[in-house]
Amino acid sequence: MAIMEFPKDMKWGAATAAFQIEGAAYKDGKGLSIWDTFSHTPGKVLNGDNGDVAIDSYHRYEEDIQLMKELGIDTYRFSVSWPRIFPAGSGEVNQKGLEYYHNFVDALLANGIEPMCTLYHWDLPQALQDKGGWDNRETVEAFADYAELMFKEFKGKIKNWITINEPWCVSFLSNFIGIHAPGNQDLQLATNISHHLMLAHGKAVTRFREAAIEGGIGYAPNVEWLEPFSNKQEDIDACNRGMGFLMEWFFDPIFKGSYPDFMVDWFEKKGVTLQIEEGDMEIISQPIDFLGINYYTGAIGRYKKDADLFDLERIDIGFEKTDFGWFIYPEGFYRVLAKIKDQYGSIPIYITENGACYNDGVENGRVHDQRRIEYLKQHLTALKRSIDYGVNIKGYLTWSLLDNFEWAEGYDKRFGIIHVDFNTLERTKKDSYYWYKQTISNGWFDMFY
């Protein structure tokens, strides 16, 4: 036996995002988002899939909450569709949108589930994108106004707030690499946007404090671990740049009040400069109450000139992969959490996303996703190691509760512990659902059972 036991007060949960599950893309006054536009642009999403229906949680949330209740989770992380609240991004409020989320949050609370709300999980109102999107500082102000409305509207109901999910994806994946909405490929633009996202986060924190909300606020960056192929300094430096792209670039402004010099210097070599205005860093670096961490994968890396933006080559040394093709690297989960503690101190951390893509189907009413169970065991073991090291873990939320619209991959990739038939929308609990339920109930699991 190898028992992994977790603190009694650690919160267990699951996570989703509005565009991936809600559907009802044109219902009850909702405005267009950049993902509505992007997913209807030929060639942008696999198989021409879109989020018009997704898994229809907009109409089926009561069923989904009963599945959460049976699972036994303490907290559920969801996101709000900004254009469902402000169809034009700012200005007139859509009361039907607010009513929907009030009904949803009330149902969570009535079933003993604590809501954790993400304000921005990628569905920027198209009306704001038409004016320059996150490259325009007016979007930063519009986000602060939207955040303030939500804080005041849900005061006393929602206690844990996340400003922005995965700012690296919003900036560099979407505006430099270009595989997510809006699909630009411009490094200077992406860098501008990364700073504006940090500023939007900071302004939302200001509004949160001004509104005197009971609870806490943080953000949820995605991280990975890159282990140097060798102890050669060039390999170490290349891995540090690759990790810094996700971690230090989005951590140092908040926790240290400045961008990391080694990354700023590298970007300057690429012809990119930061455009910081007076007062920006003071707004960005306000204290937050917790840090959300999204971790899925890691790799072995080594220096190779021009292999990518950072002269970094990821090496396949035989790690198992998920059905997304991502390396399974639980050791990296421990290492990245330990690094955060060592570099930034003992900030409270929620694991806001961790999970795996496995496309197992329904057989005789069951889904035998043992590979997902093994993934969860390995990563929860790494989490237990980090807790023993002194990392201040407050909760673990798996991604995802339900199979859903997986962005540019459409409906081709399944991350849920609940299977969804994308034609009938029928929900089927996977073996991983039952395993997670037992783990939550016990507060521990046996690595070899």
Side-chain angles (χ1 to χ4, degrees):
M1 293 178 69
I3 300 296
M4 298 297 159
E5 188 168 359
F6 296 87
K8 301 293 186 192
D9 61 351
M10 191 179 94
K11 303 286 188 182
W12 295 92
T16 62
F19 192 82
Q20 294 180 272
I21 69 166
E22 284 183 358
Y26 312 102
K27 186 166 183 180
D28 292 340
K30 177 187 166 291
L32 286 178
S33 78
I34 56 173
W35 271 97
D36 291 310
T37 303
F38 192 76
S39 65
H40 281 275
T41 303
K44 297 298 186 182
V45 175
L46 191 65
N47 301 320
D49 293 341
N50 61 63
D52 289 3
V53 176
I55 60 169
D56 198 33
S57 285
Y58 187 84
H59 298 108
R60 297 169 182 257
Y61 69 83
E62 292 176 330
E63 174 188 355
D64 293 340
I65 289 173
Q66 288 310 304
L67 289 165
M68 297 178 213
K69 185 177 182 179
E70 183 184 338
L71 182 60
I73 56 175
D74 304 299
T75 186
Y76 175 64
R77 179 187 171 214
F78 70 100
S79 78
V80 171
S81 167
W82 183 352
R84 208 177 282 288
I85 306 301
F86 286 101
S90 60
E92 186 175 349
V93 175
N94 177 27
Q95 292 299 327
K96 286 187 177 180
L98 283 177
E99 181 181 340
Y100 166 73
Y101 288 111
H102 273 295
N103 291 338
F104 173 71
V105 169
D106 289 348
L108 284 175
L109 293 170
N111 284 280
I113 301 166
E114 184 178 300
M116 176 182 282
C117 180
T118 304
L119 288 166
Y120 188 73
H121 202 131
W122 305 357
D123 42 1
L124 183 71
Q126 182 62 45
L128 294 179
Q129 183 62 38
D130 293 342
K131 300 175 184 176
W134 284 111
D135 191 38
N136 185 344
R137 282 182 175 244
E138 288 182 13
T139 299
V140 174
E141 297 303 323
F143 178 75
D145 291 342
Y146 154 59
E148 180 179 351
L149 174 76
M150 295 301 295
F151 297 148
K152 291 179 176 178
E153 192 74 28
F154 290 87
K155 190 173 185 176
K157 290 185 179 182
I158 300 174
K159 295 183 178 178
N160 285 320
W161 296 86
I162 291 167
T163 55
I164 292 169
N165 180 75
E166 298 185 348
W168 178 84
C169 292
V170 181
S171 52
F172 294 106
L173 185 65
S174 303
N175 291 282
F176 168 57
I177 301 170
I179 62 173
H180 279 187
N184 297 309
Q185 294 182 314
D186 183 327
L187 184 57
Q188 181 65 61
L189 172 67
T191 306
N192 296 347
I193 287 171
S194 72
H195 178 63
H196 291 165
L197 290 165
M198 292 288 90
L199 187 60
H201 158 83
K203 284 181 177 282
V205 172
T206 298
R207 303 288 183 96
F208 182 83
R209 303 297 180 212
E210 289 172 350
I213 302 297
E214 177 190 357
I217 191 166
Y219 74 128
N222 56 307
V223 296
E224 66 174 357
W225 183 264
L226 293 167
E227 184 70 21
F229 185 75
S230 79
N231 284 335
K232 290 194 295 186
Q233 194 61 47
E234 63 183 10
D235 286 351
I236 294 169
D237 290 346
C239 286
N240 284 339
R241 289 190 297 268
M243 287 191 288
F245 196 28
L246 279 76
M247 185 184 290
E248 282 89 345
W249 191 259
F250 294 101
F251 282 53
D252 282 16
I254 290 175
F255 295 110
K256 297 183 177 181
S258 61
Y259 285 90
D261 288 340
F262 76 101
M263 294 295 294
V264 172
D265 292 347
W266 188 264
F267 277 131
E268 286 182 351
K269 290 179 186 176
K270 303 295 181 181
V272 170
T273 55
L274 267 170
Q275 298 173 6
I276 301 172
E277 294 185 7
E278 186 176 351
D280 283 359
M281 300 314 295
E282 289 75 15
I283 293 169
I284 292 169
S285 61
Q286 296 171 83
I288 57 176
D289 302 303
F290 66 88
L291 171 65
I293 289 295
N294 297 355
Y295 179 90
Y296 291 94
T297 187
I300 305 298
R302 68 183 173 194
Y303 172 80
K304 183 178 180 181
K305 186 168 177 58
D306 298 327
D308 72 355
L309 180 63
F310 300 104
D311 295 346
L312 170 70
E313 180 184 31
R314 287 168 169 78
I315 306 296
D316 187 345
I317 63 166
F319 287 153
E320 290 186 18
K321 298 176 184 178
T322 69
D323 287 350
F324 210 127
W326 294 351
F327 294 124
I328 301 170
Y329 194 27
E331 175 68 20
F333 192 27
Y334 169 74
R335 288 177 177 264
V336 82
L337 290 170
K339 179 178 179 176
I340 291 167
K341 176 183 180 290
D342 293 343
Q343 288 190 191
Y344 302 102
S346 188
I347 182 165
I349 291 175
Y350 285 90
I351 306 306
T352 38
E353 292 183 26
N354 175 243
C357 168
Y358 292 111
N359 291 335
D360 304 291
V362 179
E363 298 178 18
N364 300 318
R366 297 293 298 267
V367 180
H368 301 299
D369 60 336
Q370 187 62 35
R371 293 177 298 169
R372 179 174 287 104
I373 293 172
E374 295 305 317
Y375 179 99
L376 293 173
K377 283 182 179 179
Q378 292 168 5
H379 286 78
L380 281 167
T381 298
L383 186 69
K384 168 63 174 169
R385 291 175 61 201
S386 77
I387 291 169
D388 286 2
Y389 178 60
V391 180
N392 189 6
I393 300 294
K394 294 299 183 184
Y396 173 89
L397 292 81
T398 195
W399 185 275
S400 178
L401 179 71
L402 298 138
D403 292 339
N404 55 52
F405 177 82
E406 183 47 41
W407 305 112
E409 300 297 323
Y411 297 102
D412 193 58
K413 300 289 187 287
R414 295 178 176 273
F415 278 85
I417 58 172
I418 298 170
H419 181 278
V420 179
D421 183 314
F422 295 127
N423 293 313
T424 67
L425 302 176
E426 181 181 0
R427 276 77 161 139
T428 303
K429 301 163 197 166
K430 302 181 185 181
D431 287 357
S432 58
Y433 174 99
Y434 294 106
W435 180 87
Y436 193 46
K437 176 182 178 179
Q438 190 65 55
T439 298
I440 292 169
S441 176
N442 292 341
W444 58 267
F445 68 91
D446 187 339
M447 187 66 194
F448 299 110
Y449 179 73

